[in-house]
Amino acid sequence: MPGVARNEPCPCGSGRRYKACHGRTEAQLRRIDFAVAGTQKGGTSAIADYLEEHLDVCMGRVKEVHFFDKDEFFKGEEADYTAYHANFEPRPTQRLLGDATPIYMYWKPTPQRLAQYNPQMKLVMLLRNPVKRAYSHWNMEIKLRRETLGFEEAIRAEQQRSVESAPAQLRRWSYIDRGRYSAQLRRVWQHIPVAQTLVLKSESLKSDPAPALARISDFLGIGPFPRTGPREVFALPYEQPMSDAARDFLHHTFAEEVETLESMLGWDLADWKASR
């Protein structure tokens, strides 16, 4: 109902405020416009924090909504998006709705689900040095008490853990697999046009966020961000540095992947190749 403020009585006569009555119904009919889809431990929390400050954007009430990676929501012929939309309460001035759930890039069925939900869906994806990303991921799992293995033991055990979890993907212990970005990007682009995706380097966002945020605002068609200074969100301290043996193992593991990404994206990844 155009022209009705959120806190005014609903014109339907229910006695409730518009935002809690027909305003909520109308909001739930809106499709989410974009997602910050990855990678985990790549800066998605910081991007979500910047977006939450933007007057044109409504982000989910929780940072990671986790809808399109939940297989149980897609067992029927058609998914029910009611619970998903309930996570968003846009104000009249907020033109875009956004979801920041980093596993969306990694979870295999998600790109197809996103495309079926909204063919115009846009994705913002950040890629971090996969060696450092893996260690940050493991550190998080340790802090959350969801991992009992040391880092080198965990990365060497990942293949066996994957076999034991098959055909499902590893959610928690996918330290190496989540760093294989080229396969994830190809899967995304099978269902979502390249023009509807923006791939950024996490290290550039962290060191000099203003250019990356300008690219995001141009990509989404929104105004400039109100604050563009560096920030860290959900950055967990390390109790000790990565061992040389683990670092060397991962550099060898990701060497071909990094070369592939340089060719695929036209990036200079000399910093990722540096062994120390």
Side-chain angles (χ1 to χ4, degrees):
M1 299 180 185
V4 181
R6 285 169 50 81
N7 288 313
E8 290 181 359
C10 188
C12 75
S14 65
R16 292 179 291 174
R17 293 182 181 183
Y18 176 64
K19 68 180 181 181
C21 191
H22 279 75
R24 174 178 289 274
T25 301
E26 291 178 7
Q28 291 181 353
L29 293 175
R30 291 179 59 179
R31 295 278 161 160
I32 309 309
D33 300 285
F34 72 92
V36 182
T39 184
Q40 185 189 48
K41 309 307 296 178
T44 56
S45 293
I47 288 291
D49 204 50
Y50 286 114
L51 287 164
E52 285 172 358
E53 297 177 351
H54 203 292
L55 296 178
D56 293 342
V57 176
C58 171
M59 299 299 290
R61 288 182 294 167
V62 294
K63 182 241 168 181
E64 298 186 21
V65 180
H66 280 292
F67 183 82
F68 292 96
D69 61 302
K70 294 295 181 67
D71 298 339
E72 59 266 29
F73 295 151
F74 296 89
K75 290 182 177 179
E77 292 184 4
E78 187 172 347
D80 182 357
Y81 301 110
T82 303
Y84 179 56
H85 292 159
N87 288 283
F88 302 87
E89 296 182 350
R91 297 190 296 272
T93 58
Q94 293 175 320
R95 299 186 294 105
L96 296 182
L97 277 63
D99 176 357
T101 305
I103 200 173
Y104 286 172
M105 185 177 84
Y106 175 67
W107 205 247
K108 290 180 180 178
T110 294
Q112 182 176 11
R113 292 169 180 171
L114 288 168
Q116 290 173 342
Y117 164 77
N118 180 4
Q120 304 305 314
M121 175 72 75
K122 292 185 175 183
L123 298 185
V124 177
M125 295 171 285
L126 296 101
L127 307 186
R128 180 183 180 184
N129 180 331
V131 174
K132 294 182 177 180
R133 194 221 69 82
Y135 192 59
S136 180
H137 181 176
W138 170 84
N139 185 61
M140 179 185 70
E141 297 297 333
I142 286 287
K143 300 288 187 185
L144 294 174
R145 300 182 183 278
R146 299 190 307 205
E147 175 62 276
T148 60
L149 301 182
F151 182 57
E152 187 172 357
E153 186 181 2
I155 57 178
R156 293 183 182 276
E158 183 174 329
Q159 184 174 2
Q160 182 58 38
R161 283 171 156 180
S162 299
V163 171
E164 293 169 356
S165 298
Q169 290 174 265
L170 282 176
R171 280 188 180 269
R172 295 179 179 175
W173 304 323
S174 45
Y175 308 118
I176 293 173
D177 201 38
R178 290 197 197 220
R180 295 189 173 109
Y181 303 133
S182 60
Q184 296 171 56
L185 291 173
R186 290 190 187 100
R187 187 163 56 242
V188 166
W189 292 334
Q190 285 178 351
H191 302 283
I192 296 175
V194 175
Q196 289 173 213
T197 66
L198 177 64
V199 186
L200 300 171
K201 193 177 178 183
S202 297
E203 291 80 6
S204 298
L205 171 71
K206 183 176 181 179
S207 63
D208 186 13
L213 293 173
R215 291 186 64 188
I216 291 173
S217 61
D218 288 344
F219 175 65
L220 296 178
I222 57 179
F225 283 83
R227 295 194 302 148
T228 60
R231 66 183 69 177
E232 287 194 10
V233 182
F234 198 48
L236 300 174
Y238 299 124
E239 294 184 3
Q240 58 187 16
M242 189 189 323
S243 69
D244 290 346
R247 183 181 291 106
D248 291 343
F249 174 79
L250 288 177
H251 272 285
H252 176 75
T253 299
F254 286 121
E256 185 175 348
E257 172 66 20
V258 173
E259 294 285 349
T260 298
L261 286 168
E262 282 191 315
S263 176
M264 177 184 290
L265 299 172
W267 289 2
D268 178 1
L269 296 175
D271 56 331
W272 287 13
K273 295 177 182 178
S275 61
R276 297 288 182 270

